Coordinates of all heavy atoms in Angstrom, one line a residue:
Q52 N -110.7 100.5 131.8 CA -111.3 99.8 132.9 C -110.7 100.3 134.2 O -111.5 100.4 135.2 CB -111.1 98.3 132.7 CG -112.0 97.7 131.6 CD -111.8 96.2 131.5 OE1 -111.2 95.5 132.4 NE2 -112.3 95.6 130.4
I53 N -109.5 100.6 134.3 CA -108.9 101.1 135.5 C -109.5 102.5 135.8 O -109.9 102.7 137.0 CB -107.4 101.3 135.3 CG1 -106.7 99.9 135.3 CG2 -106.8 102.2 136.4 CD1 -105.2 100.0 134.9
K54 N -109.8 103.3 134.8 CA -110.4 104.6 135.1 C -111.8 104.4 135.5 O -112.3 105.2 136.4 CB -110.3 105.5 133.8 CG -110.8 106.9 134.0 CD -109.9 107.6 135.0 CE -110.4 109.0 135.2 NZ -109.8 109.6 136.4
E55 N -112.5 103.5 135.0 CA -113.9 103.2 135.4 C -113.9 102.8 136.9 O -114.8 103.3 137.6 CB -114.5 102.0 134.6 CG -115.1 102.4 133.3 CD -115.7 101.2 132.6 OE1 -115.2 100.1 132.8 OE2 -116.7 101.4 131.8
R56 N -113.0 102.0 137.3 CA -112.9 101.5 138.7 C -112.6 102.7 139.6 O -113.1 102.8 140.7 CB -111.9 100.4 138.8 CG -112.5 99.1 138.1 CD -111.5 98.0 138.1 NE -112.0 96.9 137.3 CZ -111.5 95.8 137.0 NH1 -110.2 95.6 137.5 NH2 -112.0 94.9 136.3
E57 N -111.7 103.5 139.2 CA -111.3 104.7 140.0 C -112.5 105.6 140.2 O -112.7 106.1 141.2 CB -110.1 105.5 139.3 CG -108.8 104.8 139.4 CD -107.7 105.5 138.7 OE1 -108.0 106.4 137.9 OE2 -106.6 105.1 138.8
T58 N -113.3 105.8 139.1 CA -114.5 106.7 139.2 C -115.5 106.1 140.1 O -116.1 106.8 140.9 CB -115.0 106.9 137.8 OG1 -114.0 107.5 136.9 CG2 -116.3 107.8 137.8
A59 N -115.7 104.8 140.0 CA -116.7 104.1 140.9 C -116.2 104.2 142.3 O -117.1 104.4 143.2 CB -116.8 102.6 140.5
L60 N -114.9 104.1 142.6 CA -114.4 104.3 143.9 C -114.7 105.7 144.4 O -115.0 105.9 145.6 CB -112.9 103.9 143.9 CG -112.3 103.8 145.3 CD1 -112.9 102.7 146.1 CD2 -110.8 103.5 145.1
Q61 N -114.5 106.7 143.6 CA -114.7 108.1 144.0 C -116.2 108.3 144.3 O -116.5 109.0 145.3 CB -114.3 109.0 142.9 CG -112.8 109.2 142.8 CD -112.4 110.0 141.6 OE1 -113.2 110.3 140.7 NE2 -111.1 110.5 141.6
I62 N -117.1 107.7 143.5 CA -118.5 107.9 143.8 C -118.9 107.2 145.1 O -119.6 107.7 145.9 CB -119.3 107.4 142.6 CG1 -119.1 108.3 141.4 CG2 -120.8 107.3 142.9 CD1 -119.7 107.7 140.1
S63 N -118.3 106.0 145.3 CA -118.6 105.3 146.5 C -118.1 106.0 147.8 O -118.7 106.1 148.8 CB -118.1 103.9 146.5 OG -116.7 103.9 146.5
R64 N -116.9 106.7 147.6 CA -116.4 107.5 148.7 C -117.4 108.7 149.0 O -117.6 109.1 150.1 CB -115.1 108.1 148.4 CG -114.0 107.1 148.6 CD -112.6 107.8 148.3 NE -111.5 106.8 148.4 CZ -110.6 106.7 147.5 NH1 -110.5 107.5 146.5 NH2 -109.7 105.8 147.6
A65 N -117.9 109.3 147.9 CA -118.8 110.4 148.1 C -120.1 110.0 148.8 O -120.6 110.7 149.6 CB -119.1 111.1 146.7
R66 N -120.5 108.8 148.4 CA -121.8 108.3 149.1 C -121.5 108.0 150.5 O -122.4 108.3 151.4 CB -122.2 107.0 148.3 CG -122.8 107.3 147.0 CD -123.3 106.1 146.2 NE -123.9 106.6 144.9 CZ -124.4 105.8 144.0 NH1 -124.4 104.4 144.3 NH2 -124.9 106.2 142.9
E67 N -120.4 107.4 150.8 CA -120.1 107.1 152.2 C -120.0 108.4 153.0 O -120.5 108.5 154.1 CB -118.8 106.3 152.3 CG -118.3 106.0 153.7 CD -119.2 105.0 154.4 OE1 -120.0 104.3 153.8 OE2 -119.2 105.0 155.7
L68 N -119.3 109.4 152.5 CA -119.2 110.7 153.2 C -120.6 111.4 153.3 O -120.9 112.0 154.3 CB -118.2 111.6 152.4 CG -118.0 113.0 153.0 CD1 -117.4 112.9 154.5 CD2 -117.0 113.8 152.2
F69 N -121.4 111.2 152.3 CA -122.8 111.7 152.4 C -123.6 111.1 153.5 O -124.3 111.8 154.2 CB -123.5 111.5 151.0 CG -125.0 111.9 151.1 CD1 -125.3 113.2 151.2 CD2 -125.9 110.9 151.0 CE1 -126.7 113.6 151.3 CE2 -127.3 111.2 151.1 CZ -127.7 112.6 151.2
Y70 N -123.4 109.8 153.7 CA -124.1 109.2 154.9 C -123.7 109.9 156.2 O -124.5 110.2 157.0 CB -123.8 107.7 154.9 CG -124.2 106.9 153.7 CD1 -123.5 105.8 153.3 CD2 -125.4 107.2 153.0 CE1 -123.9 105.0 152.2 CE2 -125.8 106.5 151.9 CZ -125.0 105.4 151.5 OH -125.4 104.7 150.5
W71 N -122.4 110.0 156.4 CA -121.9 110.7 157.6 C -122.4 112.1 157.7 O -122.8 112.6 158.8 CB -120.4 110.5 157.7 CG -120.0 109.2 158.0 CD1 -119.7 108.1 157.2 CD2 -119.8 108.6 159.3 NE1 -119.3 107.0 157.9 CE2 -119.4 107.3 159.2 CE3 -120.0 109.1 160.6 CZ2 -119.2 106.4 160.3 CZ3 -119.8 108.3 161.7 CH2 -119.4 107.0 161.5
L72 N -122.2 112.9 156.6 CA -122.6 114.3 156.7 C -124.1 114.4 156.9 O -124.6 115.3 157.6 CB -122.2 115.0 155.4 CG -120.8 115.4 155.2 CD1 -120.5 115.9 153.8 CD2 -120.4 116.4 156.3
G73 N -124.9 113.5 156.2 CA -126.4 113.6 156.4 C -126.8 113.3 157.8 O -127.7 113.9 158.4
S74 N -126.1 112.3 158.4 CA -126.4 112.0 159.8 C -126.0 113.2 160.7 O -126.8 113.5 161.6 CB -125.6 110.7 160.3 OG -126.0 109.6 159.5
F75 N -124.8 113.7 160.5 CA -124.4 114.9 161.3 C -125.4 116.0 161.1 O -125.8 116.7 162.1 CB -123.0 115.3 160.9 CG -122.6 116.6 161.6 CD1 -122.2 116.6 162.9 CD2 -122.5 117.8 160.9 CE1 -121.8 117.8 163.5 CE2 -122.1 119.0 161.5 CZ -121.8 119.0 162.8
Y76 N -125.8 116.3 159.9 CA -126.8 117.3 159.6 C -128.1 117.2 160.4 O -128.6 118.1 160.9 CB -127.0 117.4 158.1 CG -128.0 118.4 157.6 CD1 -127.6 119.8 157.6 CD2 -129.3 118.1 157.3 CE1 -128.5 120.7 157.2 CE2 -130.2 119.1 156.9 CZ -129.8 120.4 156.8 OH -130.7 121.3 156.4
C77 N -128.6 116.0 160.4 CA -129.8 115.7 161.1 C -129.7 115.9 162.6 O -130.5 116.6 163.2 CB -130.3 114.3 160.8 SG -130.9 114.0 159.1
V78 N -128.6 115.4 163.2 CA -128.4 115.6 164.6 C -128.2 117.1 164.9 O -128.7 117.6 165.9 CB -127.2 114.7 165.1 CG1 -126.8 115.1 166.5 CG2 -127.5 113.2 165.0
A79 N -127.3 117.7 164.1 CA -127.1 119.2 164.4 C -128.3 120.0 164.2 O -128.6 120.9 165.0 CB -126.0 119.7 163.4
T80 N -129.2 119.7 163.2 CA -130.4 120.5 163.0 C -131.3 120.3 164.2 O -131.9 121.3 164.6 CB -131.0 120.0 161.7 OG1 -130.1 120.3 160.6 CG2 -132.3 120.8 161.4
V81 N -131.5 119.1 164.6 CA -132.4 118.8 165.8 C -131.8 119.6 167.0 O -132.6 120.2 167.7 CB -132.5 117.3 166.0 CG1 -133.1 117.0 167.4 CG2 -133.3 116.6 164.9
G82 N -130.5 119.5 167.2 CA -129.9 120.2 168.3 C -130.1 121.7 168.2 O -130.4 122.4 169.2
L83 N -129.9 122.3 167.0 CA -130.0 123.7 166.8 C -131.5 124.2 167.0 O -131.7 125.2 167.5 CB -129.5 124.1 165.5 CG -128.0 124.0 165.3 CD1 -127.6 124.2 163.8 CD2 -127.2 125.0 166.2
I84 N -132.4 123.4 166.5 CA -133.8 123.7 166.7 C -134.2 123.7 168.1 O -134.9 124.5 168.7 CB -134.7 122.8 165.8 CG1 -134.5 123.2 164.3 CG2 -136.2 123.0 166.2 CD1 -135.2 122.2 163.4
G85 N -133.7 122.7 168.8 CA -133.9 122.6 170.3 C -133.4 123.8 171.0 O -134.0 124.4 171.9
R86 N -132.2 124.2 170.6 CA -131.5 125.4 171.2 C -132.3 126.6 170.9 O -132.5 127.5 171.7 CB -130.1 125.5 170.7 CG -129.3 126.6 171.3 CD -128.9 126.3 172.7 NE -128.0 127.4 173.1 CZ -127.9 127.8 174.3 NH1 -128.5 127.1 175.3 NH2 -127.1 128.7 174.6
Y87 N -132.8 126.7 169.6 CA -133.6 127.9 169.3 C -134.9 128.0 170.1 O -135.3 129.0 170.5 CB -134.0 127.8 167.8 CG -135.0 128.8 167.4 CD1 -134.7 130.2 167.2 CD2 -136.4 128.5 167.2 CE1 -135.7 131.1 166.9 CE2 -137.3 129.4 166.8 CZ -137.0 130.7 166.7 OH -137.9 131.6 166.4
N88 N -135.5 126.8 170.3 CA -136.8 126.8 171.1 C -136.5 127.3 172.6 O -137.4 127.9 173.2 CB -137.4 125.4 171.2 CG -138.0 125.0 169.9 OD1 -138.5 125.9 169.1 ND2 -138.1 123.7 169.6
S89 N -135.3 127.0 173.1 CA -135.1 127.5 174.5 C -134.6 128.9 174.5 O -134.8 129.6 175.5 CB -134.0 126.6 175.1 OG -132.8 126.7 174.5
T90 N -134.0 129.5 173.5 CA -133.5 130.8 173.5 C -134.3 131.8 172.7 O -134.2 133.0 172.9 CB -132.0 130.9 173.0 OG1 -132.0 130.5 171.6 CG2 -131.1 130.0 173.8
R91 N -135.0 131.3 171.6 CA -135.8 132.2 170.7 C -134.9 133.2 170.0 O -135.3 134.3 169.7 CB -136.9 132.9 171.4 CG -137.9 132.0 172.0 CD -138.7 131.4 170.9 NE -139.8 130.5 171.5 CZ -140.3 129.5 170.9 NH1 -139.9 129.2 169.6 NH2 -141.2 128.7 171.4
R92 N -133.6 132.8 169.7 CA -132.7 133.7 169.0 C -132.5 133.0 167.6 O -132.0 131.9 167.5 CB -131.4 133.8 169.7 CG -131.6 134.7 171.0 CD -130.3 134.8 171.8 NE -129.1 135.0 171.0 CZ -127.9 134.5 171.4 NH1 -127.8 133.8 172.5 NH2 -126.9 134.8 170.6
F93 N -132.7 133.8 166.5 CA -132.6 133.2 165.2 C -131.1 132.9 164.8 O -130.8 132.1 164.0 CB -133.2 134.2 164.1 CG -134.6 134.1 164.0 CD1 -135.5 135.1 164.5 CD2 -135.2 133.0 163.4 CE1 -136.9 135.0 164.4 CE2 -136.6 132.8 163.3 CZ -137.4 133.9 163.8
A94 N -130.2 133.6 165.5 CA -128.8 133.4 165.2 C -128.3 132.0 165.5 O -127.4 131.5 164.9 CB -127.9 134.4 166.0
V95 N -129.1 131.3 166.4 CA -128.7 129.9 166.7 C -128.9 129.0 165.5 O -128.2 128.0 165.3 CB -129.6 129.5 167.9 CG1 -129.4 128.0 168.2 CG2 -129.3 130.3 169.2
L96 N -129.8 129.4 164.6 CA -130.1 128.6 163.4 C -129.1 128.8 162.3 O -129.2 128.2 161.2 CB -131.6 128.8 163.0 CG -132.7 128.4 164.0 CD1 -134.0 128.8 163.4 CD2 -132.6 127.0 164.3
G97 N -128.2 129.8 162.4 CA -127.3 130.2 161.4 C -126.5 129.0 160.8 O -126.4 128.9 159.6
P98 N -125.9 128.1 161.6 CA -125.1 127.0 161.0 C -125.9 126.1 160.1 O -125.3 125.3 159.3 CB -124.6 126.3 162.2 CG -124.6 127.3 163.3 CD -125.8 128.2 163.0
I99 N -127.2 126.1 160.1 CA -128.0 125.2 159.3 C -127.8 125.6 157.8 O -127.8 124.7 157.0 CB -129.5 125.3 159.7 CG1 -129.7 124.6 161.0 CG2 -130.4 124.6 158.6 CD1 -131.1 124.7 161.6

Side-chain angles (χ1 to χ4, degrees):
Q52 287 183 14
I53 288 170
K54 188 63 182 163
E55 278 183 328
R56 292 173 185 180
E57 288 173 349
T58 303
L60 191 59
Q61 288 174 342
I62 292 169
S63 68
R64 281 186 187 133
R66 288 180 179 179
E67 180 66 20
L68 184 58
F69 172 69
Y70 298 149
W71 284 92
L72 284 174
S74 299
F75 173 74
Y76 178 75
C77 290
V78 170
T80 301
V81 168
L83 291 171
I84 290 172
R86 181 76 173 153
Y87 169 76
N88 286 335
S89 67
T90 64
R91 296 289 180 207
R92 291 176 41 213
F93 280 107
V95 173
L96 299 175
I99 291 177

